[in-house]
Amino acid sequence: MSAPENLSSPLGLLAELTHRCPLACPYCSNPLALDQRADELDAATWARVFREAAAMGVLQLHLSGGEPASRRDLIEIAAAARDAGLYTNLITSGLGIDAARLARLKQSGLDHVQLSLQDVDAETADRIAGYHGAHARKLAFSRMVVEQQLALTINVVVHRANISRVSALVETAAALGAGRVEIAHAQYYGWALRNRKALMPTPAQVAQAMQEMESIRPRYAGRLVIDMVVPDYYARRPKACMGGWARRSLNVTPSGRVLPCHAAETIPGLEFWSVRDRPLAEIWRDSPAFLAFRGTDWMREPCRSCDMREIDFGGCRCQALAIAGDAAATDPACELSPLHTIMRKLAESDASTDDDEYQYRGRSAAELAIAIPVR
Ligand code: SF4
Ligand code: FES
């Protein structure tokens, strides 16, 4: 398949600066095989990637990880983003950033902070994160963000252990001074797929959470944006994952591979090109991984003749692979997929177990030995 003549520009770039992280969340979106520190792109290469992204039309840059604060050169990287003219969002656990480092990040051009919380209850939050004391440090960090007048979004991944506290999570986000809260359900690829039995909420929990959200939303109108959608395993129609494969955004891994989505490497047989070897625009246009599912030509029935195909783009390729064993299948989250009922039964079966043992995200011996820099 060749790139279409009316190829759109990406709007967002997710820069995974490192896979190193002090936390070990069992739903981590990083791959099972983590990039090593020695393979990470240096700051000069990131600066070149940011300039290329801006020239392509990218507006928003998300500095992510792992924990991006694990990079000692994070300030240099943020300054390069500002020099490229990108709106820059830092996705962080807050660990490893004190008030002085945050102030320097702001001076360097950081526009926005997205802080993850695991729960409102410190003990449960720390158990989910696999890090004693993380929750208290996150709350302290959120206060610094607001004091320094940086825009704050609170991000919470919900699952069986915390979904019953969505209202309290929203109240906490509002009390911390966030302008937005994103309640995201765990996405079951990679680490979360391994932990699906321990993470999957019950249908009753999901229904209760959705109802609570609708009832509290009016209370926060005009002061807190609340994002929450039905989780895929309990949905009737899929989401347009990534806004459509290779349509709106791209991810660059710590070592420079460019992916259409964070889980694309779970799909066997895709060829990913690297920013070490080629300009970003060439990768966006011609990389085999981007061409594989761009547009609608690759679709089979029922997507091929469906009126929704230019709206949801057949859902999520990585979920199709995880459930159907075929990345080109209709996302089983769609009720028109022959596997839709099976997916729902899988969810109900996993949710009915009392398995709450997490397999935490891997930590290499080298990673454990690295102290998180504070400045
Ligand atoms: Fe979307 Fe395909 Fe389902 Fe139609 S059949 S709603 S295009 S996933
Ligand atoms: Fe890969 Fe949805 S996460 S397409």
Side-chain angles (χ1 to χ4, degrees):
M1 194 183 301
S2 60
E5 296 204 344
N6 57 351
L7 178 66
S8 59
S9 299
L11 299 175
L13 172 73
L14 183 84
E16 294 178 355
L17 301 180
T18 178
H19 281 157
R20 289 174 284 142
C21 185
L23 308 187
C25 305
Y27 46 73
C28 180
S29 63
N30 287 168
L32 298 177
L34 301 170
D35 283 359
Q36 297 303 302
R37 183 180 196 172
D39 297 328
E40 291 172 3
L41 298 178
D42 60 19
T45 306
W46 279 117
R48 193 245 306 156
V49 170
F50 298 161
R51 288 193 299 273
E52 291 177 354
M56 290 165 68
V58 168
L59 301 172
Q60 292 201 346
L61 171 67
H62 306 279
L63 299 177
S64 177
E67 172 49 65
S70 303
R71 293 274 310 222
R72 291 182 185 277
D73 51 4
L74 181 61
I75 289 161
E76 189 184 338
I77 290 171
R82 190 244 343 255
D83 292 347
L86 297 169
Y87 182 88
T88 307
N89 173 34
L90 181 70
I91 303 176
T92 181
S93 66
L95 274 69
I97 307 181
D98 66 4
R101 195 177 191 206
L102 186 63
R104 289 175 66 209
L105 280 166
K106 186 180 174 193
Q107 281 159 15
S108 303
L110 184 67
D111 297 293
H112 185 277
V113 175
Q114 190 167 336
L115 171 68
S116 62
L117 289 186
Q118 273 69 17
D119 205 337
V120 285
D121 171 67
E123 195 177 324
T124 320
D126 289 354
R127 186 179 95 79
I128 294 167
Y131 189 105
H132 182 66
H135 185 68
R137 290 173 67 178
K138 283 166 179 251
L139 296 184
F141 176 74
S142 73
R143 287 189 277 273
M144 284 182 226
V145 173
V146 173
E147 275 162 22
Q148 298 201 21
Q149 299 182 331
L150 277 157
L152 173 68
T153 291
I154 295 290
N155 184 60
V156 187
V157 175
V158 288
H159 44 83
R160 194 159 76 235
N162 62 5
I163 194 168
S164 60
R165 287 183 288 283
V166 286
S167 299
L169 282 158
V170 170
E171 282 160 23
T172 301
L176 292 174
R180 181 178 210 105
V181 60
E182 293 182 6
I183 311 279
H185 296 271
Q187 299 282 307
Y188 297 101
Y189 343 99
W191 292 103
L193 189 58
R194 281 201 173 177
N195 283 292
R196 201 176 63 190
K197 273 191 166 46
L199 294 171
M200 186 65 74
T202 65
Q205 281 183 308
V206 171
Q208 172 71 26
M210 299 309 294
Q211 195 183 5
E212 277 181 34
M213 264 322 98
E214 286 325 301
S215 72
I216 66 168
R217 215 180 269 282
R219 203 185 308 159
Y220 294 100
R223 63 188 173 110
L224 179 67
V225 179
I226 305 173
D227 286 334
M228 179 172 173
V229 292
V230 179
D232 290 340
Y233 277 62
Y234 293 110
R236 292 180 54 206
R237 292 297 164 105
K239 293 186 277 296
C241 194
M242 305 300 293
W245 183 274
R247 256 187 96 241
R248 304 243 297 260
S249 57
L250 30 73
N251 288 19
V252 181
T253 69
S255 62
R257 294 181 308 285
V258 187
L259 317 179
C261 70
H262 62 269
E265 288 175 296
T266 61
I267 300 176
L270 289 185
E271 181 186 337
F272 302 102
W273 288 355
S274 170
V275 294
R276 292 187 197 274
D277 308 320
R278 300 172 203 258
L280 199 60
E282 182 187 340
I283 298 174
W284 174 252
R285 194 183 59 231
D286 296 331
S287 155
F290 281 72
L291 295 180
F293 302 112
R294 180 178 271 145
T296 55
D297 289 354
W298 57 272
M299 289 180 175
R300 306 189 205 120
E301 295 298 348
C303 294
R304 179 173 278 276
S305 55
C306 179
D307 289 347
M308 296 294 288
R309 67 185 181 282
E310 302 265 8
I311 295 170
D312 66 28
F313 296 93
C316 175
R317 299 305 88 227
C318 303
Q319 189 152 265
L321 178 82
I323 304 291
D326 177 0
T330 294
D331 183 341
C334 178
E335 63 185 349
L336 302 176
S337 159
L339 296 175
H340 183 70
T341 312
I342 290 173
M343 184 176 187
R344 171 80 185 218
K345 287 203 165 99
L346 271 176
E348 289 175 358
S349 161
D350 284 353
S352 68
T353 66
D354 53 10
D355 175 356
D356 64 352
E357 284 300 309
Y358 297 141
Q359 184 178 342
Y360 287 103
R361 189 198 107 131
R363 285 168 167 161
S364 66
E367 189 177 343
L368 283 171
I370 293 163
I372 295 284
V374 170
R375 285 164 199 271

